[in-house]
Amino acid sequence: MIPLTYLLRFLEEDAPFGDVTSEAVIPEDLKAEAVIIAKQDGVIAGLEEAKALFEHFGVKVELKAKDGDEVKKGTVVIKLEGNARKILLVERTALNIMGRMSGIATQVRRLMEKVRAVNPNVRIAGTRKSLLKPLDKRAILLGGGESHRFSLSDAILIKDNHLALVPLEEAIKRAKAFSIYKVVEVEVERLEDALKAAKAGADVIMLDNMTPEQIEEVLEALKREGLRDRVKIEVSGGITPENIEEYATLDIDVISLGALTHSVKNFDVSLEITRRL
């Protein structure tokens, strides 16, 4: 689960000086019961994060589902009981977190289902194209995907701007010498560079913005040179839910999509007060 201190930042942003509406109209000691409901079918996520926030403010929480569960529209996923002001204070922050995480988890699960139907060995991964990485990465995992790098500190990924400064073979040589514990991945856009990267010892080759036909050419060339088994092949760029199956049929290992996190479609959840106590 995400650390509470991280989650509280969002609440502090939403209510820097308290919830003035609730403080103005709701009696201080009024208690209530409430539920959080899924308003659509999909994969629910962010329940543990919502629970941590509500409990921090003394609200009793009963989870009616687990993170990563498939839920139907109308499903009650959380029951709440406690101070009415506190429930409403946390409401929007909790729903925002759940909505974003569930949206990501649902999209990942649906893409995984498409991909695994044609190639059970291919994995789906997110990217660093997100400013809410702790939430987004956890949501990807709950959906059944891979998180890729969490940060610039996790693995070595040599991209085009690195190669604009240092030649490919030299960049890989320097990266391999830098640490024996870091995976070395290289992003390439041409067959020739993919072969160079494999021969130079890259652990993962990312084929960026290539068509399925171009990727097939690279794979065949790597096999001819006896290099395919030495490297993992990741494909990225230009991949959408509509064409992902074309890529999945290829002999690749990972499909990464920035759209999992930079273009999130929010999952609809709502909080409803069921009665005052």
Side-chain angles (χ1 to χ4, degrees):
M1 195 199 78
I2 307 301
L4 178 62
T5 51
Y6 178 83
L7 301 174
L8 287 172
R9 297 178 194 173
F10 300 112
L11 188 59
E12 290 165 2
E13 181 182 81
D14 194 40
F17 305 107
D19 174 6
V20 295
T21 306
S22 295
E23 291 168 12
V25 304
I26 296 176
E28 185 176 2
D29 59 352
L30 181 64
K31 293 186 178 181
E33 288 182 349
V35 294
I36 295 180
I37 301 170
K39 306 292 282 188
Q40 63 184 84
D41 298 348
V43 178
I44 199 70
L47 296 172
E48 291 292 342
E49 285 71 26
K51 180 175 184 286
L53 282 171
F54 281 113
E55 288 184 339
H56 178 72
F57 290 93
V59 177
K60 181 180 177 182
V61 180
E62 181 184 357
L63 297 184
K64 307 300 289 184
K66 300 190 300 297
D67 280 323
D69 280 355
E70 291 274 356
V71 298
K72 296 292 186 182
K73 179 180 179 180
T75 300
V76 172
V77 295
I78 296 180
K79 286 189 175 181
L80 304 167
E81 180 182 327
N83 182 275
R85 286 188 183 183
K86 300 302 184 184
I87 291 174
L88 296 179
L89 172 68
V90 178
E91 174 185 6
R92 178 42 53 195
T93 299
L95 294 179
N96 285 349
I97 290 170
M98 290 177 62
R100 182 177 179 86
M101 290 183 69
S102 298
I104 293 170
T106 298
Q107 184 178 23
V108 172
R109 184 74 55 83
R110 298 299 172 257
L111 291 177
M112 285 294 299
E113 290 167 352
K114 280 189 171 187
V115 165
R116 290 293 169 87
V118 297
N119 188 342
N121 297 317
V122 174
R123 303 183 181 195
I124 298 292
T127 70
R128 285 176 42 251
K129 293 178 180 178
S130 167
L131 287 177
L132 301 176
K133 285 195 287 289
L135 297 175
D136 292 353
K137 295 292 190 181
R138 179 164 144 76
I140 289 170
L141 294 175
L142 289 169
E146 299 276 335
S147 71
H148 209 279
R149 293 188 299 171
F150 183 85
S151 73
L152 289 171
S153 305
D154 295 342
I156 296 170
L157 174 50
I158 302 168
K159 297 173 68 69
D160 55 353
N161 281 333
H162 300 106
L163 298 177
L165 300 167
V166 181
L168 188 150
E169 291 97 336
E170 182 185 345
I172 294 174
K173 181 179 179 181
R174 292 172 67 89
K176 300 291 277 191
F178 181 78
S179 172
I180 63 171
Y181 296 106
K182 299 291 186 184
V183 170
V184 176
E185 181 171 4
V186 184
E187 175 187 277
V188 302
E189 296 184 357
R190 300 187 307 160
L191 185 154
E192 296 81 1
D193 289 336
L195 291 174
K196 286 181 183 178
K199 291 175 181 177
D203 300 299
V204 183
I205 298 174
M206 178 193 291
L207 305 179
D208 191 40
N209 288 307
M210 289 188 179
T211 65
E213 293 75 23
Q214 291 171 323
I215 292 169
E216 187 61 52
E217 289 181 15
V218 172
L219 294 170
E220 289 175 359
L222 289 171
K223 289 173 184 176
R224 283 197 304 271
E225 297 284 340
L227 299 169
R228 175 63 184 94
D229 292 338
R230 295 188 191 179
V231 296
K232 297 291 185 185
I233 298 296
E234 175 181 343
V235 300
S236 188
I239 301 170
T240 67
E242 290 71 36
N243 67 17
I244 195 169
E245 290 161 301
E246 296 178 50
Y247 290 87
T249 59
L250 303 170
D251 178 28
I252 59 175
D253 300 290
V254 184
I255 299 173
S256 59
L257 302 94
L260 294 179
T261 52
H262 72 56
S263 303
V264 180
K265 184 176 180 181
N266 211 57
F267 185 94
D268 193 4
V269 285
S270 68
L271 184 149
E272 298 177 8
I273 299 291
T274 52
R275 67 176 179 134
R276 55 184 289 167
L277 299 176

